[in-house]
Amino acid sequence: MRYYFKLFVFLGCFACIGVKENKQEQVVQLDTLQWMTGRWEMQTDGGILSEEWRKINDSVYSGTSFMISGGDTLFSEKISLTRAGNELHYIPVVSGQNDGKPVIFRFTSAQGGQWVFENPAHDFPQQIIYAHPHPDSLVAVIMGNDKGKMRREEFRMKHKEEINH
């Protein structure tokens, strides 16, 4: 079964990627994502989009993403960034979609200052790309085939505050 969800995710570590080659696999050093902890925000026409991240341990980061307009929550999701062995997975669970089931995106590459997570079997997006172009900025791109047409959305977030672990 394919799960559909509208994804507003912001994450990454591209200025200081800890990736090394290991028998043709990229092994991700999750601690290089420490900079992403805290709250990130973006003003949109529909409201304020926020994302908060906490480092749980050396293998798990936990995030929440939500859109608020006029005091109402229009969208929310819980996100896990989990390292298991040599694999890194980005796992969103969107409120009110997919019967509460997660969708798994696998880390596939870190090139040109970007991290790429993919799930080619997902309806949309199939690819999530993150960048950290400045210390106070985070850029996320979701893209892929959406009902026969290529679609790309870009989200530019600013760091707002630190969050205690």
Side-chain angles (χ1 to χ4, degrees):
M1 173 182 273
R2 305 294 175 244
Y3 301 105
Y4 180 79
F5 67 97
K6 188 167 183 179
L7 182 62
F8 293 104
V9 293
F10 307 96
L11 147 76
C13 178
F14 311 100
C16 58
I17 297 175
V19 177
K20 62 182 178 180
E21 292 299 316
N22 182 9
K23 297 182 183 178
Q24 298 180 334
E25 287 186 4
Q26 290 187 336
V27 178
V28 179
Q29 303 302 319
L30 192 55
D31 62 348
T32 61
L33 296 172
Q34 180 64 38
W35 68 269
M36 69 177 238
T37 60
R39 177 181 274 215
W40 300 86
E41 289 185 354
M42 173 182 166
Q43 180 69 48
T44 71
D45 291 340
I48 296 176
L49 181 62
S50 295
E51 188 145 318
E52 296 178 1
W53 284 96
R54 298 179 195 284
K55 179 179 178 181
I56 303 303
N57 57 44
D58 290 340
S59 299
V60 178
Y61 278 49
S62 176
T64 58
S65 181
F66 48 93
M67 171 79 79
I68 296 178
S69 179
D72 294 327
T73 301
L74 305 178
F75 167 87
S76 68
E77 71 180 335
K78 293 184 181 204
I79 311 160
S80 296
L81 182 62
T82 305
R83 180 175 173 187
N86 289 343
E87 289 201 6
L88 180 64
H89 294 124
Y90 183 87
I91 308 170
V93 178
V94 181
S95 179
Q97 296 181 17
N98 309 323
D99 296 323
K101 295 177 184 169
V103 178
I104 298 172
F105 290 82
R106 185 176 167 263
F107 171 79
T108 58
S109 68
Q111 299 176 30
Q114 300 179 343
W115 276 17
V116 179
F117 294 85
E118 296 185 67
N119 181 337
H122 191 257
D123 53 4
F124 182 82
Q126 293 89 40
Q127 192 173 67
I128 303 169
I129 303 169
Y130 302 94
H132 184 53
H134 305 287
D136 69 338
S137 299
L138 181 132
V139 177
V141 177
I142 59 173
M143 60 188 292
N145 186 321
D146 186 13
K147 300 176 186 170
K149 294 185 180 181
M150 286 305 293
R151 182 171 143 201
R152 182 182 194 276
E153 294 183 34
E154 185 173 298
F155 306 95
R156 295 183 172 272
M157 304 283 285
K158 291 288 184 189
H159 192 253
K160 293 298 179 184
E161 65 182 279
E162 296 296 325
I163 296 176
N164 293 331
H165 303 288

